[in-house]
Short mmCIF file of all heavy atoms in Angstrom, two decimals:
data_model
loop_
_atom_site.label_atom_id
_atom_site.label_comp_id
_atom_site.label_asym_id
_atom_site.label_seq_id
_atom_site.Cartn_x
_atom_site.Cartn_y
_atom_site.Cartn_z
N MET A 25 100.18 88.28 104.66
CA MET A 25 101.07 87.72 105.64
C MET A 25 102.42 87.58 104.97
O MET A 25 102.52 87.42 103.75
CB MET A 25 100.59 86.36 106.14
CG MET A 25 99.20 86.38 106.73
SD MET A 25 98.66 84.78 107.41
CE MET A 25 99.58 84.78 108.97
N ALA A 26 103.48 87.63 105.76
CA ALA A 26 104.84 87.61 105.23
C ALA A 26 105.83 87.06 106.20
O ALA A 26 105.58 86.98 107.41
CB ALA A 26 105.26 89.03 104.81
N TRP A 27 106.95 86.62 105.67
CA TRP A 27 108.10 86.22 106.48
C TRP A 27 109.27 87.18 106.20
O TRP A 27 109.58 87.46 105.05
CB TRP A 27 108.56 84.80 106.16
CG TRP A 27 107.65 83.75 106.72
CD1 TRP A 27 106.63 83.10 106.06
CD2 TRP A 27 107.71 83.20 108.03
NE1 TRP A 27 106.04 82.17 106.91
CE2 TRP A 27 106.68 82.22 108.13
CE3 TRP A 27 108.51 83.43 109.14
CZ2 TRP A 27 106.45 81.48 109.29
CZ3 TRP A 27 108.28 82.70 110.30
CH2 TRP A 27 107.28 81.73 110.36
N TYR A 28 109.86 87.63 107.27
CA TYR A 28 111.11 88.42 107.21
C TYR A 28 112.20 87.62 107.93
O TYR A 28 111.93 86.72 108.70
CB TYR A 28 110.94 89.75 107.93
CG TYR A 28 110.04 90.75 107.19
CD1 TYR A 28 108.66 90.63 107.22
CD2 TYR A 28 110.60 91.84 106.52
CE1 TYR A 28 107.86 91.54 106.56
CE2 TYR A 28 109.78 92.75 105.86
CZ TYR A 28 108.42 92.60 105.91
OH TYR A 28 107.63 93.51 105.26
N ARG A 29 113.45 88.00 107.69
CA ARG A 29 114.53 87.39 108.42
C ARG A 29 115.63 88.43 108.69
O ARG A 29 115.78 89.40 107.96
CB ARG A 29 115.11 86.19 107.65
CG ARG A 29 115.85 86.55 106.37
CD ARG A 29 116.26 85.27 105.62
NE ARG A 29 117.02 85.56 104.41
CZ ARG A 29 117.37 84.63 103.52
NH1 ARG A 29 117.06 83.35 103.73
NH2 ARG A 29 118.04 85.00 102.44
N GLN A 30 116.36 88.16 109.74
CA GLN A 30 117.48 89.03 110.09
C GLN A 30 118.65 88.16 110.53
O GLN A 30 118.55 87.45 111.52
CB GLN A 30 117.10 90.02 111.18
CG GLN A 30 118.18 91.05 111.47
CD GLN A 30 117.66 92.24 112.25
OE1 GLN A 30 116.63 92.14 112.94
NE2 GLN A 30 118.35 93.34 112.19
N ALA A 31 119.73 88.23 109.78
CA ALA A 31 120.95 87.52 110.12
C ALA A 31 121.83 88.39 111.01
O ALA A 31 121.70 89.62 110.99
CB ALA A 31 121.69 87.14 108.86
N PRO A 32 122.73 87.79 111.75
CA PRO A 32 123.63 88.56 112.63
C PRO A 32 124.40 89.61 111.84
O PRO A 32 124.99 89.29 110.80
CB PRO A 32 124.58 87.52 113.21
CG PRO A 32 123.77 86.25 113.18
CD PRO A 32 122.95 86.35 111.92
N GLY A 33 124.37 90.85 112.30
CA GLY A 33 125.09 91.92 111.66
C GLY A 33 124.52 92.44 110.37
O GLY A 33 125.13 93.28 109.71
N LYS A 34 123.30 91.99 110.02
CA LYS A 34 122.68 92.43 108.78
C LYS A 34 121.29 93.04 109.03
O LYS A 34 120.70 92.80 110.10
CB LYS A 34 122.55 91.26 107.80
CG LYS A 34 123.86 90.60 107.45
CD LYS A 34 123.72 89.66 106.28
CE LYS A 34 123.48 90.42 105.01
NZ LYS A 34 123.48 89.54 103.81
N GLN A 35 120.81 93.74 108.08
CA GLN A 35 119.50 94.37 108.17
C GLN A 35 118.39 93.32 107.96
O GLN A 35 118.60 92.32 107.28
CB GLN A 35 119.34 95.49 107.18
CG GLN A 35 120.27 96.67 107.40
CD GLN A 35 120.07 97.77 106.38
OE1 GLN A 35 119.62 97.54 105.28
NE2 GLN A 35 120.38 99.00 106.76
N ARG A 36 117.25 93.59 108.54
CA ARG A 36 116.10 92.71 108.31
C ARG A 36 115.66 92.81 106.86
O ARG A 36 115.61 93.91 106.28
CB ARG A 36 114.95 93.07 109.24
CG ARG A 36 113.76 92.15 109.17
CD ARG A 36 112.68 92.57 110.15
NE ARG A 36 112.15 93.88 109.85
CZ ARG A 36 111.21 94.51 110.58
NH1 ARG A 36 110.73 93.91 111.66
NH2 ARG A 36 110.78 95.69 110.21
N GLU A 37 115.27 91.69 106.26
CA GLU A 37 114.87 91.68 104.88
C GLU A 37 113.57 90.88 104.72
O GLU A 37 113.32 89.94 105.45
CB GLU A 37 115.94 91.07 103.97
CG GLU A 37 116.26 89.62 104.23
CD GLU A 37 117.21 89.02 103.20
OE1 GLU A 37 117.33 89.57 102.11
OE2 GLU A 37 117.84 87.98 103.52
N LEU A 38 112.80 91.26 103.72
CA LEU A 38 111.59 90.55 103.36
C LEU A 38 111.97 89.29 102.60
O LEU A 38 112.68 89.36 101.60
CB LEU A 38 110.68 91.41 102.55
CG LEU A 38 109.40 90.79 102.01
CD1 LEU A 38 108.49 90.35 103.11
CD2 LEU A 38 108.69 91.73 101.06
N VAL A 39 111.47 88.15 103.06
CA VAL A 39 111.76 86.87 102.43
C VAL A 39 110.66 86.50 101.43
O VAL A 39 110.93 86.15 100.29
CB VAL A 39 111.93 85.75 103.47
CG1 VAL A 39 112.12 84.38 102.80
CG2 VAL A 39 113.09 86.06 104.41
N ALA A 40 109.43 86.58 101.88
CA ALA A 40 108.30 86.19 101.05
C ALA A 40 107.04 86.81 101.60
O ALA A 40 106.91 87.05 102.80
CB ALA A 40 108.15 84.69 100.98
N ARG A 41 106.13 87.06 100.72
CA ARG A 41 104.84 87.68 101.10
C ARG A 41 103.72 87.02 100.34
O ARG A 41 103.89 86.64 99.16
CB ARG A 41 104.86 89.18 100.81
CG ARG A 41 103.61 89.94 101.18
CD ARG A 41 103.72 91.41 100.77
NE ARG A 41 102.58 92.20 101.18
CZ ARG A 41 101.45 92.30 100.49
NH1 ARG A 41 101.34 91.64 99.34
NH2 ARG A 41 100.44 93.04 100.96
N ILE A 42 102.55 86.88 100.99
CA ILE A 42 101.39 86.31 100.38
C ILE A 42 100.14 87.12 100.71
O ILE A 42 99.92 87.47 101.87
CB ILE A 42 101.22 84.82 100.76
CG1 ILE A 42 100.07 84.17 99.99
CG2 ILE A 42 101.03 84.68 102.26
CD1 ILE A 42 100.06 82.66 100.10
N SER A 43 99.38 87.44 99.71
CA SER A 43 98.16 88.17 99.93
C SER A 43 97.06 87.24 100.43
O SER A 43 97.20 86.01 100.40
CB SER A 43 97.70 88.84 98.63
OG SER A 43 97.22 87.88 97.70
N ARG A 44 95.96 87.80 100.88
CA ARG A 44 94.86 86.96 101.35
C ARG A 44 94.34 86.08 100.21
O ARG A 44 93.93 84.95 100.47
CB ARG A 44 93.73 87.82 101.89
CG ARG A 44 92.55 87.01 102.38
CD ARG A 44 91.56 87.84 103.15
NE ARG A 44 90.43 87.01 103.58
CZ ARG A 44 90.43 86.21 104.64
NH1 ARG A 44 91.49 86.12 105.40
NH2 ARG A 44 89.35 85.50 104.94
N GLY A 45 94.42 86.58 98.97
CA GLY A 45 93.97 85.80 97.84
C GLY A 45 94.99 84.78 97.33
O GLY A 45 94.67 84.02 96.40
N GLY A 46 96.20 84.77 97.92
CA GLY A 46 97.16 83.75 97.56
C GLY A 46 98.25 84.17 96.62
O GLY A 46 99.09 83.35 96.23
N SER A 47 98.29 85.43 96.24
CA SER A 47 99.38 85.91 95.37
C SER A 47 100.67 86.01 96.16
O SER A 47 100.67 86.61 97.25
CB SER A 47 99.02 87.27 94.76
OG SER A 47 97.86 87.19 93.94
N THR A 48 101.75 85.48 95.62
CA THR A 48 103.00 85.43 96.35
C THR A 48 104.11 86.21 95.67
O THR A 48 104.10 86.42 94.45
CB THR A 48 103.49 83.98 96.53
OG1 THR A 48 103.60 83.35 95.22
CG2 THR A 48 102.53 83.18 97.39
N SER A 49 105.07 86.65 96.46
CA SER A 49 106.28 87.27 95.95
C SER A 49 107.42 86.81 96.85
O SER A 49 107.23 86.55 98.02
CB SER A 49 106.17 88.80 95.93
OG SER A 49 105.97 89.30 97.24
N TYR A 50 108.63 86.73 96.25
CA TYR A 50 109.78 86.17 96.95
C TYR A 50 111.00 87.05 96.71
O TYR A 50 111.18 87.67 95.66
CB TYR A 50 110.12 84.78 96.46
CG TYR A 50 109.03 83.77 96.65
CD1 TYR A 50 108.06 83.56 95.69
CD2 TYR A 50 108.96 83.01 97.82
CE1 TYR A 50 107.06 82.63 95.86
CE2 TYR A 50 107.97 82.08 98.02
CZ TYR A 50 107.00 81.88 97.03
OH TYR A 50 106.01 80.94 97.22
N ALA A 51 111.85 87.08 97.71
CA ALA A 51 113.16 87.72 97.50
C ALA A 51 113.94 86.92 96.48
O ALA A 51 113.82 85.66 96.41
CB ALA A 51 113.92 87.77 98.82
N ASP A 52 114.78 87.59 95.70
CA ASP A 52 115.55 86.92 94.66
C ASP A 52 116.41 85.79 95.26
O ASP A 52 116.65 84.76 94.59
CB ASP A 52 116.42 87.90 93.93
CG ASP A 52 115.64 88.82 93.01
OD1 ASP A 52 114.50 88.47 92.67
OD2 ASP A 52 116.16 89.88 92.64
N SER A 53 116.89 85.99 96.45
CA SER A 53 117.80 85.02 97.06
C SER A 53 117.16 83.68 97.41
O SER A 53 117.86 82.71 97.63
CB SER A 53 118.44 85.62 98.33
OG SER A 53 117.44 85.99 99.27
N VAL A 54 115.83 83.64 97.47
CA VAL A 54 115.14 82.41 97.86
C VAL A 54 114.25 81.84 96.75
O VAL A 54 113.67 80.76 96.93
CB VAL A 54 114.31 82.59 99.14
CG1 VAL A 54 115.21 83.16 100.25
CG2 VAL A 54 113.10 83.48 98.89
N LYS A 55 114.13 82.55 95.64
CA LYS A 55 113.26 82.08 94.55
C LYS A 55 113.72 80.71 94.07
O LYS A 55 114.91 80.47 93.88
CB LYS A 55 113.28 83.06 93.40
CG LYS A 55 112.51 84.33 93.64
CD LYS A 55 112.53 85.26 92.45
CE LYS A 55 111.76 86.52 92.69
NZ LYS A 55 111.85 87.46 91.54
#
């Protein structure tokens, strides 16, 4: 499962992702 975001005038970006087992990854901007 993951969260993406899209700001006005910008491309959609991946914010954070989590595997079923709980492993997470984050965009540098939100770490």
Side-chain angles (χ1 to χ4, degrees):
M25 303 184 77
W27 285 96
Y28 290 76
R29 68 185 182 187
Q30 186 164 22
K34 302 193 70 175
Q35 295 181 334
R36 185 178 64 182
E37 65 173 339
L38 175 63
V39 177
R41 181 183 183 275
I42 185 167
S43 71
R44 180 169 179 81
S47 298
T48 56
S49 61
Y50 300 89
D52 288 340
S53 59
V54 306
K55 286 180 179 178

